[in-house]
Amino acid sequence: MPSLNTLNARYDILFEPIKIGPVTMKNRFYQVPHCNGLGYARPQSLAAMRGIKAEGGWGAVCTEEVEIHPSSEISPYIEGRLWDKSDIPAHQLMTSAVHEHGAIAGIELVHNGFHAPNRTSRLAPMAPSPMPVDAYDPVHARAMDLTDIKNFRKWYRQAALNAREAGYDIIYVYAGHCMTTLMHFMLERFNHRNDHYGGSLKNRVRLTREVISEVKEAVGDDCAIAFRFAVDELMGKHGMTSEGEAQEVVGLLAELPDLWDVNISGWSHDSSTARFEPIEGYQEKYTSFVKSLTTKPVVGVGRFTSPDAMVSQIKRGVLDLIGAARPSIADPFLPNKIAQGRIDEIRECIGCNICVSGDNLSVPIRCTQNPTMGEEWRRKWHPEKIAPRASDSSVLVVGAGPSGLEAALQLANRGYQVTLAEAEKDLGGRATKESQLPGLSSYARVRDYRVNLLSQMANVEIYKDSSLDRDAILDFGFPHVLLATGSHWRRDGTGRYHQYPIPGLDTMPSFTPDDIMNGENPTGHIVIFDDDHYYMGGVLAEKLINAGNKVTLVTPAAKVSAWSEYTLEQEKIQAKLINLGVELITNQAISHVTENKIELSCTYTGKTKSIQGDSLLLVTARHTNDTLFHQLESDPDRLNQAGIKTLEVIGDAYSPGSLASAVYYGHLAARCLEGESWDAALFEGERPGLIS
């Protein structure tokens, strides 16, 4: 066939049509099911987000997990729902959006078993055997009797029929991530039954076989049946392993589904951050056996962004379809860019899991690399399109960190003449500096993607080593000025726990993350006070102990890097620090410092104790670098005389936050320049209607 790739025919294999049961995908790019915080609550936003991916070239676009019955509702998390026919119209929004661009739509039907406490429905959770629910709720799941099992099978079958009516082409039977009734039945540690659904592996797989068979009988003439299965739980002999029972499961079910979707469990392993799984295709060592046991197509994941890695997976017989969740979030147009020979324009996923935090917090999905993610319907943002400039005016962007780079890129895409001035010799700001820390090298992609495109644009001028003061900006006479001057870490200990400086800091050498990232190297016994609770405290502890120092990390929280629970990293961070020998002190705050003695106070009782240390590293709060902004705005007459119509502060200089937040504010400022206010689209949010 003729090459679909305009520059390199070796990628043609990625664009071959693939038959899955009764349906055909136009290519091998498969957006696997992923959660997103939109779900049943925001169907318009969900449909627009999935539709953009279909427009971007993904051959198949799937839902998140979709609950099939109120006995499996996982509130407060906002997933999909297909409890009955009344949910069909919402799903039709998505299937229509996906079909419009020639892709096929898949739905991941799920019953969560004892993983769902049923906080809203208040129905008793169910499991293979009686056990507490998989949460701290004071609730137990009851053992499913044969009537429950019969009903369960009916629910699955009816949900499949409803899914077909909603327009889905692929219907999932889901047994992955240790979150589903079917996987609970498979696992001996949960299944203590002595009937024909328990005991031997063949018996424990029986319910899965029945469900796949009955779903296939119900809709298999029209829809492909996919089976999602976690082949390894990374628990050794205590769980499913790819060298043990998983091979038997695949052998027992080999030809039954039309598609095998294979991954690892739990979710924190399957969607591991780049900090802990930096290598593309990291799941291959677990999933590669599956194709040898079935003739059906196999899809798998591994945070694939390189087309060469994708081709390798297919040619070596590891996978038939390239599965992606996070890479499809970072760049919904990844397939089209490969097809068009625009590989250097791919927004590569950095593996930070800020997208996952949206689901865990029950809010709309977001992405560090792709600030339009989750805003496709509400703000009508498109990842590859932006409104043209409103005038012939030029724009000065001061600061080339994540926010300044994004603002400059999008303003240039709009057609403005952009001048980007950076005070330091390197571009990228905090993205560059943080990428030098242990496990964060992928953060450089935030800089590299934008710098690569900006450097090729005729309407962009970039100046490094160009520190601008108020007079210089006024003298230039740019009509529009955006200040992306960043933030700095505070030195006085003020943060979440302390709203005042910690007394005695002048008696001990004290440092901030900025000092460490700028090359300072404290020695001896270093005490880190982490009141930030995200990744920075743990990363710096790792860096300092690897340099040969003794490190103690103190935090007011009950665990280290507490917010990273939402990015699926917390347990891994704490385990790594323990294994490295970092002393961890939780539920304690630094109350006073005297020479080499640090006084701690219990966050619950106020009782105090002292520890020794040679220096203190404060990871508390950040302060905006907005002095230049205030100097300029304080003299409106001079602004007018200089012809400055727009003066805005953006990114961390506006409000310190995550990398994703910095990029988002840069994008927002560029979209809104000479247009609507920043918050205008918020009033178009989806609202549930009232039914009389």
Side-chain angles (χ1 to χ4, degrees), residues 9 27 72 105 127 132 148 170 238 376 391 411 416 428 441 459 466 532 548 638 686:
N27 59 34
S72 168
D148 294 321
I170 301 175
H238 300 293
E376 298 88 351
S391 71
L411 288 165
Y416 287 99
S441 61
N459 58 330
S466 298
D532 176 59
R638 287 201 66 188
E686 297 184 63

Side-chain angles (χ1 to χ4, degrees), residues 430 432-437 489 512-520 536 540 543:
R430 62 178 285 198
T432 294
K433 293 181 178 180
E434 291 183 17
S435 72
Q436 304 303 311
L437 296 174
W489 289 88
T512 72
D514 292 322
D515 297 328
I516 308 303
M517 288 187 284
N518 287 332
E520 295 193 42
M536 185 59 72
L540 292 178
K543 176 179 174 65

Side-chain angles (χ1 to χ4, degrees), residues 181-201:
T181 297
L182 293 176
M183 191 165 188
H184 299 156
F185 266 82
M186 284 188 203
L187 297 172
E188 196 169 19
R189 68 182 184 273
F190 300 134
N191 186 340
H192 307 146
R193 303 175 71 93
N194 55 18
D195 61 7
H196 58 289
Y197 287 101
S200 68
L201 179 62

Side-chain angles (χ1 to χ4, degrees), residues 167-325:
Y168 287 103
D169 309 287
I170 301 175
I171 296 177
Y172 268 80
V173 175
Y174 177 28
H177 300 120
C178 199
M179 295 178 178
T180 71
T181 297
L182 293 176
M183 191 165 188
H184 299 156
F185 266 82
M186 284 188 203
L187 297 172
E188 196 169 19
R189 68 182 184 273
F190 300 134
N191 186 340
H192 307 146
R193 303 175 71 93
N194 55 18
D195 61 7
H196 58 289
Y197 287 101
S200 68
L201 179 62
K202 185 176 181 180
N203 281 354
R204 286 182 273 126
V205 175
R206 184 186 303 274
L207 182 57
T208 297
R209 173 178 284 278
E210 291 173 342
V211 170
I212 296 175
S213 298
E214 290 164 6
V215 167
K216 198 165 188 177
E217 185 275 331
V219 300
D221 290 342
D222 305 305
C223 304
I225 309 305
F227 179 52
R228 198 176 203 191
F229 175 49
V231 301
D232 206 306
E233 296 183 276
L234 279 64
M235 296 173 58
K237 65 181 180 179
H238 300 293
M240 185 72 68
T241 67
S242 55
E243 297 177 346
E245 286 195 336
Q247 297 207 20
E248 296 182 58
V249 172
V250 177
L252 287 167
L253 302 174
E255 301 302 308
L256 192 55
D258 298 311
L259 173 69
W260 281 86
D261 181 340
V262 290
N263 57 15
I264 58 178
S265 184
W267 191 17
S268 65
H269 297 311
D270 184 30
S271 295
S272 182
T273 59
R275 180 174 174 184
F276 294 99
E277 289 288 358
I279 305 301
E280 190 170 352
Y282 63 92
Q283 295 196 26
E284 177 181 336
K285 60 184 175 182
Y286 304 106
T287 61
S288 60
F289 75 90
V290 176
K291 270 190 62 61
S292 68
L293 299 178
T294 179
T295 65
K296 300 301 178 71
V298 177
V299 62
V301 295
R303 210 169 58 249
F304 295 111
T305 60
S306 162
D308 292 302
M310 298 174 192
V311 169
S312 173
Q313 291 278 311
I314 295 166
K315 287 191 171 181
R316 290 186 295 111
V318 179
L319 300 172
D320 298 293
L321 302 171
I322 301 302

